[in-house]
Amino acid sequence: MSTLPPTVSNEDEIQAPQRPPSPPFHVTFAARGLHAQNFPAHKPRDLRIPSAQAMTHVAWSCDGKRLAAVGIDKVTRLWAPETSMEYRAASHFSGGHSDDVDYVSWNPTHPELFCTSSQKDRRIVFWDARQSRHVQQIQLKVSPVQTNYAPDGKSLLYTSAGHQLFFLTYGKDNESSKDVWQISDKDGTIVASTAMFNHVGDGIILTHHSEHTLRIMDYPSLTLRESPAAHVGGCVAVALDPRGRYLASGGYDSIVNMFDLNEWICARTIASCENAINALSFSFDGEYLAIASTGSYIDICATETSIPLHRVPALAPSPTVTWHPSKYVFAYCGQTKQREGSPPPVAVISLFGGGI
């Protein structure tokens, strides 16, 4: 993998984020006896893959030993980043989809189990990394855009291209004594662009690209609990602090809001990003928030102060960003832009941080 920082032209020059006023001393790293990470000491490690299409999603296994990537074709690729991130080092999983794979999610209870989805073939496919053939394949009537496991690994929600929410459940069906994934009887009347379970599994958090509010609902009753106002022009990304203190939301307005989960009020706002937000991810200890946007960079901010700590230059805008489950490393992906007189675009998978 190349460790050289990406070159940018003057027209795409990445500006350093503006630093907000100093926060109260009691929330700083020093006052809380914590050693702040030296992110500027690291450089992105980029894997370029010749492809006319982008890598659309990356995800870590629950033990952090594997990184999955999808987007450029019908194949899901798994790397063991601690060993190698060379292209030829990837394990390939194919045969479950008849068209390009868009999204991948790992089971939070088992480091070998994951699922993939495709909008084009309308399938969700379940895999075990210990075998090359898929475990189960579910044909849907809608195009799945995003998937998310419940904390116990027994339920899976997915949102559709039509912005509807659906569920799969894991258990015994009527015809077999074997546990299998089944389509839930919840009929998709709830609208959502993105959705995720909370850390306990008794609630879900929903966003919609044309709604300015978040929606917090009980699960499985789907009773509305909270609906805090969040963004002008639509909310498109959410992330939960692993400590259970904050919910971060991002929108088309380029703002990131940090909601206090005890009071359901906006405790802080991060306004250092100049572009619409694509994805958010908290570090494993909840101290740092990574922000992916439509700009060619990833911002790292301190959770307790909202101060921007570092702007990571990226080869391309990333649709996703995800922290390692136990290290200060995150992964992101995308595709370089077409430029006159330059080489053709390539798909990109990148890692940033130390420890791997």
Side-chain angles (χ1 to χ4, degrees), residues 10-173:
N10 290 335
E11 64 182 16
D12 291 333
E13 187 174 351
I14 304 302
Q15 300 294 327
Q18 291 187 351
R19 191 178 180 87
S22 297
F25 178 72
H26 71 276
V27 298
T28 62
F29 288 111
R32 293 184 293 127
L34 299 176
H35 174 70
Q37 294 296 304
N38 184 19
F39 292 112
H42 302 286
K43 288 182 169 58
R45 289 164 282 166
D46 304 308
L47 171 63
R48 297 168 173 84
I49 303 172
S51 172
Q53 297 180 201
M55 279 293 184
T56 56
H57 197 238
V58 288
W60 295 98
S61 59
C62 63
D63 61 359
K65 292 183 178 179
R66 287 189 175 93
L67 180 69
V70 296
I72 60 175
D73 51 24
K74 307 172 189 176
V75 179
T76 302
R77 293 169 175 82
L78 303 188
W79 281 269
E82 293 184 8
T83 303
S84 174
M85 275 298 292
E86 295 293 331
Y87 181 69
R88 62 179 177 272
S91 302
H92 290 199
F93 293 82
S94 59
H97 290 279
S98 61
D99 218 316
D100 299 336
V101 186
D102 307 309
Y103 205 90
V104 57
S105 294
W106 288 89
N107 190 310
T109 68
H110 199 299
E112 308 286 353
L113 304 181
F114 64 97
C115 73
T116 55
S117 62
S118 169
Q119 296 183 54
K120 293 182 178 178
D121 69 11
R122 296 186 171 185
R123 290 177 189 168
I124 293 178
V125 180
F126 293 89
W127 306 83
D128 185 327
R130 296 164 295 188
Q131 62 188 58
S132 58
R133 179 171 170 77
H134 59 271
V135 175
Q136 188 179 351
Q137 185 185 74
I138 295 184
Q139 187 69 50
L140 306 172
K141 296 180 180 179
V142 298
S143 297
V145 174
Q146 174 226 2
T147 57
N148 181 257
Y149 278 95
D152 64 0
K154 297 295 179 66
S155 298
L156 182 86
L157 62 76
Y158 61 97
T159 55
S160 71
H163 307 291
Q164 296 170 289
L165 177 66
F166 298 90
F167 296 88
L168 301 178
T169 55
Y170 187 70
K172 293 179 171 55
D173 63 10

Side-chain angles (χ1 to χ4, degrees), residues 315-346:
L315 295 179
S318 179
T320 188
V321 62
T322 176
W323 283 93
H324 187 281
S326 61
K327 297 181 179 181
Y328 294 115
V329 179
F330 59 74
Y332 51 104
C333 61
Q335 183 185 38
T336 58
K337 296 179 181 178
Q338 176 72 57
R339 298 186 185 278
E340 187 176 350
S342 298
V346 295

Side-chain angles (χ1 to χ4, degrees), residues 91-355:
S91 302
H92 290 199
F93 293 82
S94 59
H97 290 279
S98 61
D99 218 316
D100 299 336
V101 186
D102 307 309
Y103 205 90
V104 57
S105 294
W106 288 89
N107 190 310
T109 68
H110 199 299
E112 308 286 353
L113 304 181
F114 64 97
C115 73
T116 55
S117 62
S118 169
Q119 296 183 54
K120 293 182 178 178
D121 69 11
R122 296 186 171 185
R123 290 177 189 168
I124 293 178
V125 180
F126 293 89
W127 306 83
D128 185 327
R130 296 164 295 188
Q131 62 188 58
S132 58
R133 179 171 170 77
H134 59 271
V135 175
Q136 188 179 351
Q137 185 185 74
I138 295 184
Q139 187 69 50
L140 306 172
K141 296 180 180 179
V142 298
S143 297
V145 174
Q146 174 226 2
T147 57
N148 181 257
Y149 278 95
D152 64 0
K154 297 295 179 66
S155 298
L156 182 86
L157 62 76
Y158 61 97
T159 55
S160 71
H163 307 291
Q164 296 170 289
L165 177 66
F166 298 90
F167 296 88
L168 301 178
T169 55
Y170 187 70
K172 293 179 171 55
D173 63 10
N174 297 329
E175 302 175 2
S176 169
S177 60
K178 182 181 178 182
D179 286 344
V180 294
W181 286 97
Q182 307 167 66
I183 297 176
S184 169
D185 57 3
K186 301 184 191 311
D187 59 3
T189 55
I190 295 174
V191 295
S193 297
T194 66
M196 67 178 296
F197 282 98
N198 65 5
H199 294 324
V200 181
D202 61 0
I204 55 174
I205 301 149
L206 310 177
T207 75
H208 193 278
H209 70 101
S210 64
E211 294 180 0
H212 72 280
T213 60
L214 302 173
R215 277 172 292 144
I216 317 301
M217 308 183 85
D218 287 339
Y219 181 81
S221 69
L222 301 182
T223 303
L224 183 65
R225 279 286 178 186
E226 303 285 346
S227 185
H231 297 278
V232 177
C235 181
V236 292
V238 287
L240 268 176
D241 171 8
R243 303 168 297 185
R245 295 181 188 173
Y246 302 109
L247 170 68
S249 69
Y252 289 129
D253 54 9
S254 78
I255 299 293
V256 175
N257 289 319
M258 205 79 73
F259 288 90
D260 184 312
L261 292 182
N262 290 323
E263 311 257 340
W264 281 111
I265 59 173
C266 184
R268 282 179 296 285
T269 295
I270 300 172
S272 58
C273 198
E274 294 89 27
N275 301 85
I277 309 302
N278 280 341
L280 304 168
S281 179
F282 281 99
S283 59
F284 66 92
D285 57 359
E287 291 290 345
Y288 304 99
L289 179 70
I291 306 170
S293 70
T294 55
S296 295
Y297 56 86
I298 306 290
D299 277 341
I300 306 173
C301 295
T303 301
E304 295 293 345
T305 63
S306 296
I307 286 181
L309 302 175
H310 185 54
R311 175 161 285 182
V312 182
L315 295 179
S318 179
T320 188
V321 62
T322 176
W323 283 93
H324 187 281
S326 61
K327 297 181 179 181
Y328 294 115
V329 179
F330 59 74
Y332 51 104
C333 61
Q335 183 185 38
T336 58
K337 296 179 181 178
Q338 176 72 57
R339 298 186 185 278
E340 187 176 350
S342 298
V346 295
V348 180
I349 301 172
S350 301
L351 296 180
F352 179 85

